[in-house]
Amino acid sequence: MRIVKNIDEVRRQVKEWRAQGLTIGLVPTMGYLHEGHASLIDASHRDNDRTVVSDFVNPMQFGPSEDLESYPRDIERDSHLVEAHGGDIIFAPEPEEMYRKGFSSFVDMTVLTEELCGLSRPVHFRGVCTVVSKLFNIVQPDCAYFGKKDAQQLAVIRHLADDLNMDIKIIGCPIVREVDGLAKSSRNTYLSGAERKASLVLSQAIALGTAMVRKGEKNCSVIISAMKKHIEAEPLASTDYVKIVDCDTMQQISTLDRPAICAIAVYIGSTRLIDNFFTEDV
Ligand code: PAF
């Protein structure tokens, strides 16, 4: 396993693998890897001959008042995890390598990015779509792996690959949780002891919503109100959104009459955490 910082070097390696008839999986990440990322690397290792893990905190997807500077980074630790899970290369470019002087091309998406995180984080998906397109062009993988925790991101990337005729299979992998239910996230490291306890309202609200759907509740506002009430009973929590959207369009729906995602974003102190469930998985 090696760490490559340079785009040309990754391209050279990928060409060599292709010449040998090998298949390639890509796991895009922003580093500070945890078991959620490990499950994506495992899936890629299982499905492909070679796995590239990108490790790049993408400045373009952070808003001006977001956590770009404080986002946790530890490439040494990441390299051990990637190696242990069968990754072959970590692609860890500097921002200047990804966005060379004079960079001025962007990939943007309408409709799917108008709701949920797209509303609260206006520049976010333009940054995600641009960097993921670049990574797809650099690595040209057969398959790319994304976590279902970022459900909107997964839908956006599926749509992007389809709209732009990218010959890449997009694979969504299940959310990995801590034993007490909190969805794994690099941002969980920001939480103080009290906040870590309070953060359980997210997975509890998800469990509550899931149980209501399982019992047959179809009225979205009834489900949303119950989940919000649960979250808002926690003094350290403040709701950014609790919404139910169509799986494909990411537009809000009022009745559960098609495959949908119930997605939540909650501030615990100043840390914004997300979680969700897919009604198809209930
Ligand atoms: O999910 C992430 O970590 C990032 O949004 C991604 C897909 C690696 C793009 O920077």
Side-chain angles (χ1 to χ4, degrees):
M1 209 287 301
R2 55 199 188 94
I3 300 174
V4 176
K5 292 194 151 286
N6 180 277
I7 293 171
D8 291 340
E9 205 180 327
V10 179
R11 282 194 192 283
R12 256 196 309 278
Q13 177 61 83
V14 166
K15 265 194 189 142
E16 217 175 287
W17 286 336
R18 287 277 177 224
Q20 295 166 29
L22 302 176
T23 57
I24 296 161
L26 171 66
V27 181
T29 83
M30 296 208 299
Y32 214 72
L33 306 179
H34 49 68
E35 286 91 335
H37 298 112
S39 74
L40 307 181
I41 302 170
D42 287 340
S44 174
H45 185 53
R46 185 191 59 221
D47 298 346
N48 303 277
D49 298 313
R50 296 288 182 270
T51 292
V52 177
V53 179
S54 65
D55 191 320
F56 177 61
V57 182
N58 174 33
M60 201 190 282
Q61 69 188 73
F62 288 79
S65 57
E66 292 184 354
D67 57 341
L68 173 62
E69 293 312 319
S70 57
Y71 198 86
R73 293 159 168 89
D74 190 343
I75 189 82
E76 181 70 28
R77 178 174 164 279
D78 290 348
S79 65
H80 296 307
L81 184 142
V82 171
E83 179 139 45
H85 289 269
D88 297 281
I89 278 189
I90 296 185
F91 173 47
E94 294 301 328
E96 302 71 36
E97 175 70 353
M98 282 300 263
Y99 300 113
R100 290 180 186 163
K101 200 162 176 286
F103 185 90
S104 48
S105 305
F106 302 90
V107 181
D108 217 341
M109 186 178 290
T110 56
V111 188
L112 266 79
T113 59
E114 284 163 5
E115 270 293 347
L116 309 176
C117 292
L119 258 187
S120 326
R121 306 182 69 192
V123 298
H124 179 66
F125 284 113
R126 183 193 216 216
V128 170
C129 288
T130 301
V131 81
V132 169
S133 301
K134 284 171 69 64
L135 291 167
F136 284 177
N137 282 330
I138 293 166
V139 178
Q140 302 193 3
D142 297 280
C143 303
Y145 297 79
F146 297 88
K148 280 181 156 182
K149 181 171 80 72
D150 296 293
Q152 186 177 18
Q153 170 172 280
L154 176 60
V156 163
I157 290 166
R158 279 193 203 288
H159 214 79
L160 170 82
D162 194 42
D163 280 351
L164 302 185
N165 309 102
M166 294 166 163
D167 190 14
I168 300 170
K169 200 165 163 202
I170 307 300
I171 305 195
C173 298
I175 296 176
V176 178
R177 297 181 181 279
E178 303 288 352
V179 273
D180 61 6
L182 178 65
K184 301 249 183 196
S185 164
S186 307
R187 289 191 169 97
N188 292 350
T189 52
Y190 297 153
L191 302 171
S192 68
E195 288 170 343
R196 175 65 184 78
K197 277 192 196 132
S199 69
L200 289 181
V201 287
L202 279 96
S203 53
Q204 287 164 356
I206 291 297
L208 179 63
T210 306
M212 292 175 81
V213 174
R214 203 172 283 141
K215 279 196 190 133
E217 182 59 67
K218 296 257 182 255
N219 185 331
C220 295
S221 59
V222 171
I223 301 166
I224 290 168
S225 302
M227 292 172 70
K228 271 191 181 155
K229 194 171 162 207
H230 182 81
I231 295 165
E232 280 153 21
E234 166 53 60
L236 292 179
S238 84
T239 309
D240 179 358
Y241 64 74
V242 176
K243 286 182 181 169
I244 298 181
V245 296
D246 177 295
C247 253
D248 297 320
T249 63
M250 295 287 121
Q251 300 299 302
Q252 287 191 74
I253 56 172
S254 53
T255 308
L256 281 183
D257 53 4
R258 68 199 96 168
I261 299 169
C262 175
I264 68 178
V266 177
Y267 284 94
I268 301 293
S270 58
T271 304
R272 186 175 174 281
L273 300 175
I274 58 173
D275 204 339
N276 67 68
F277 67 93
F278 286 59
T279 54
E280 277 179 325
D281 295 340
V282 166

